[in-house]
Amino acid sequence: MGAGHAHRLYRHGHSPVHALPPHCKLAAVFAFVLVVVSTPREAVWAFGLYAVLLAGVAAAARVPAGFLLRRLLIEIPFVAFAVLMPFVAGGERVDVLGLSLSVSGLWGAWNVLAKGTLGVAASVLLASTTELRALLLGLQRLKLPPLLVQIASFMIRYGDVVTGELRRMSIARRSRGFEARGIRHWGVLAKTAGALFIRSYERGERVYLAMVSRGYAGSMPVIDEVAATPTEWARASALPLTALAVLAVCLMG
């Protein structure tokens, strides 16, 4: 798959979590999220235990709490949605600090916040301990449709290229005295977007022709075959299996 691209979420390290094969971590996070989503919202204590499990993984991965919390800010739109639910939902009402709130809305807000935060935290930990290139190899190892893996690969590879092209176009506009100050300049910005699309499309055509000339036939060669031992699978499955045990206790209780 060629050279990897570093991303802002990744935190370089040599922890046991970093060393796990990417497809093991992907499968573990996916299973953990399924368990979290399947947990009844009334089992508040279970979500606390899930958070403790993730904190243990973060400690094993040597990911600082501040690093993790800053990345969790991505869920702010979901938090805003959850905050509104007690005010707009119907049904039984309860007074909290002088405010009339819906009971079902409060439970719904808790459900969104708890499950959303745990899911985002698990994803952030995955991204913090796995390089993008390794994630793509892991997806390929898990037999995700090859076309989807290739699309994701090219998005990652050429995202910086397209961003750099847009930055050069912006510098060229400013060097000619252009500054977008209102609706009068929307036409210029629209032309810029059109030119960027055409340049990106033409670059894609050139890259595709170059790939075909080098033997591309619809699938990318796998340079690094990532395998996992039973021990590594066991280590990765510790998180979802422990969470599954907590869920089993919830359902039996």
Side-chain angles (χ1 to χ4, degrees):
M1 285 217 180
H5 286 239
H7 59 91
R8 295 179 181 179
L9 289 178
Y10 179 69
R11 183 179 176 85
H12 182 73
H14 301 284
S15 72
V17 181
H18 284 79
L20 286 174
H23 53 289
C24 294
K25 289 186 278 187
L26 282 165
V29 169
F30 181 73
F32 174 78
V33 171
L34 281 182
V35 172
V36 170
V37 171
S38 303
T39 303
R41 64 186 184 183
E42 293 80 10
V44 177
W45 63 271
F47 294 106
L49 288 180
Y50 296 152
V52 171
L53 289 175
L54 288 182
V57 174
R62 304 186 184 97
V63 176
F67 180 91
L68 180 61
L69 291 174
R70 286 194 299 272
R71 270 57 186 179
L72 286 177
L73 293 177
I74 193 174
E75 68 165 340
I76 286 180
F78 299 98
V79 173
F81 170 75
V83 169
L84 292 176
M85 291 181 67
F87 295 95
V88 300
E92 181 184 353
R93 313 293 293 188
V94 63
D95 289 332
V96 178
L97 299 177
L99 299 175
S100 178
L101 304 178
S102 167
V103 174
S104 61
L106 287 171
W107 278 116
W110 161 251
N111 194 49
V112 172
L113 285 175
K115 296 180 179 180
T117 300
L118 289 170
V120 172
S123 301
V124 170
L125 282 175
L126 173 64
S128 302
T129 57
T130 315
E131 294 182 345
L132 278 176
R133 176 173 173 273
L135 282 174
L136 294 173
L137 290 172
L139 292 173
Q140 196 168 32
R141 185 73 177 179
L142 291 174
K143 306 302 181 183
L144 197 74
L147 182 60
L148 294 180
V149 177
Q150 291 180 52
I151 291 174
S153 175
F154 286 118
M155 285 176 61
I156 293 169
R157 291 172 186 273
Y158 290 98
D160 291 339
V161 176
V162 174
T163 302
E165 188 73 29
L166 181 60
R167 183 169 54 252
R168 288 190 293 271
M169 295 171 68
S170 176
I171 293 173
R173 289 199 311 269
R174 289 199 301 269
S175 67
R176 291 165 174 80
F178 174 81
E179 288 290 342
R181 295 190 178 90
I183 194 172
R184 295 183 299 108
H185 298 128
W186 285 9
V188 176
L189 298 178
K191 292 177 182 177
T192 299
L196 180 64
F197 173 78
I198 293 173
R199 292 185 184 183
S200 301
Y201 182 84
E202 291 176 344
R203 184 185 293 272
E205 288 291 317
R206 294 195 300 270
V207 170
Y208 174 73
L209 292 175
M211 292 170 59
V212 171
S213 68
R214 289 164 175 78
Y216 175 75
S219 62
M220 299 291 287
V222 178
I223 299 175
D224 299 326
E225 187 66 25
V226 182
T229 64
T231 301
E232 290 172 328
W233 274 112
R235 290 175 180 172
S237 62
L239 174 66
L241 287 179
T242 306
L244 184 61
V246 174
L247 175 59
V249 173
C250 290
L251 297 179
M252 289 189 298

